[in-house]
Amino acid sequence: MMQRHVKSNVITFNAMISACEKSGEWEQAFSLCREMAQSMIELDTITFSASISACQKGNQWDKALQLCRAMVLSKVEANTISCSAMVSACEKAGEWEQALQLVSTMVQSSVKLGTITFNAVMSACQRSYEWENTMHVFSIMALSSVKPSVLTFEVAVNACEQAGESR
């Protein structure tokens, strides 16, 4: 059988990174991003979204944050998927400050955020006994016309209970 060499491009790398994300191989996804940069292949929104999601699923919030910073420096437009994955990674790591900062930046940049993203940052704040920040995010959610879920209200109620306990 004749062997052919396929020239790698952003599409082939994105397919590999997406496969890594789905199979829980965050290290390989992260490594492929570095390989793309070294090969002068431009990383795009799909590249960053899949890589950030892979790191988030692997509980590697610090790597996800590195990718988020690289995304900003590369001037690649963030989307709901990349932002949600980043906030979820911060939430799982208990990094409520990072999650809060990311949501603030996304809102200012007019990135469309959904209920899941807002719930993640609210949960991160609430679990760290940051009830005031939890309620602040809840108000941003309302101002953004994002429909709350049952979980949204549960987190808000828990934050209010914490506020009562701290007085």
Side-chain angles (χ1 to χ4, degrees):
M1 188 189 288
M2 200 165 55
Q3 190 175 24
R4 296 182 189 182
H5 292 279
V6 177
K7 185 176 178 182
S8 296
N9 61 25
V10 69
I11 295 168
T12 56
F13 270 99
N14 284 348
M16 291 186 291
I17 291 169
S18 293
C20 292
E21 183 254 335
K22 287 174 180 52
S23 64
E25 297 291 332
W26 71 266
E27 297 104 332
Q28 188 63 33
F30 194 78
S31 177
L32 286 166
C33 283
R34 276 187 293 196
E35 188 177 330
M36 284 178 76
Q38 291 167 351
S39 301
M40 304 300 284
I41 297 172
E42 196 170 314
L43 287 75
D44 64 9
T45 303
I46 295 169
T47 310
F48 282 110
S49 296
S51 301
I52 290 168
S53 185
C55 291
Q56 178 261 324
K57 289 177 181 176
N59 295 318
Q60 300 297 316
W61 75 270
D62 56 331
K63 299 288 188 204
L65 190 56
Q66 283 180 22
L67 289 165
C68 190
R69 287 185 182 128
M71 189 174 189
V72 170
L73 290 173
S74 302
K75 295 184 170 61
V76 173
E77 187 175 329
N79 66 8
T80 304
I81 296 167
S82 58
C83 294
S84 295
M86 189 61 241
V87 169
S88 293
C90 291
E91 178 213 2
K92 285 184 178 180
E95 294 291 328
W96 66 269
E97 291 124 327
Q98 293 288 343
L100 190 59
Q101 183 180 15
L102 281 166
V103 165
S104 295
T105 302
M106 290 181 250
V107 168
Q108 290 171 358
S109 301
S110 300
V111 174
K112 179 91 171 113
L113 300 177
T115 306
I116 293 170
T117 304
F118 280 108
N119 285 351
V121 73
M122 284 177 64
S123 293
C125 291
Q126 187 264 319
R127 278 192 271 156
S128 297
Y129 296 91
E130 290 292 327
W131 65 268
E132 291 172 322
N133 284 316
T134 305
M135 298 312 295
H136 176 68
V137 173
F138 184 68
S139 67
I140 293 171
M141 184 178 186
L143 291 171
S144 300
S145 301
V146 175
K147 186 177 178 183
S149 67
V150 172
L151 178 61
T152 308
F153 291 115
E154 286 176 6
V155 173
V157 167
N158 289 338
C160 291
E161 287 174 354
Q162 289 172 343
E165 291 171 8
S166 68
R167 292 178 188 211

